[in-house]
């Protein structure tokens, strides 16, 4: 789908990561082990993975990480 702004791109990435266990059930045991070792639940592992994925591909999507901060600052003022 067409993504028009940095916020939508970030949200799409987080949704993809949240649904990863449904589409790749073979990684669930690894996610559980990682979550247990970190003392968190799988959702946290997927969220952190989403941040990492976002940072890796954001520029390929036509955005910069700073675009997210600029939008947040506009809404605060």
């Amino acid at each position: 789908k067409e993504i028009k702004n940095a916020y939508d791109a970030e949200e799409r990435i987080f949704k993809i990561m949240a649904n990863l266990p449904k589409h790749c059930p073979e990684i669930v045991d690894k996610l559980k082990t990682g979550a247990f070792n970190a003392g968190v639940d799988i959702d946290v592992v997927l969220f952190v993975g989403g941040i990492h994925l976002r940072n890796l591909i954001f520029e390929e999507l036509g955005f910069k990480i700073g675009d997210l901060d600029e939008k947040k600052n506009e809404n605060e003022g």
Side-chain angles (χ1 to χ4, degrees):
K1 294 183 179 181
E2 187 177 330
I3 298 172
K4 296 180 182 180
N5 59 55
Y7 179 85
D8 290 342
E10 182 181 59
E11 287 298 307
R12 180 71 50 86
I13 291 167
F14 291 155
K15 285 180 184 178
I16 289 168
M17 289 302 294
N19 289 312
L20 190 63
K22 293 176 190 172
H23 299 288
C24 299
E26 67 276 6
I27 68 165
V28 171
D29 284 338
K30 287 183 181 182
L31 289 170
K32 287 179 180 179
T33 299
F36 178 79
N37 289 338
V40 298
D41 62 25
I42 290 175
D43 291 334
V44 173
V45 173
L46 293 169
F47 180 72
V48 172
I51 292 171
H52 181 67
L53 177 61
R54 177 200 67 192
N55 292 348
L56 289 174
I57 68 170
F58 224 47
E59 287 192 24
E60 291 178 38
L61 297 174
F63 304 105
K64 297 177 186 171
I65 298 298
D67 293 345
L68 293 168
D69 293 333
E70 289 175 17
K71 196 65 171 174
K72 289 177 187 174
N73 289 336
E74 288 175 13
N75 291 335
E76 291 175 3

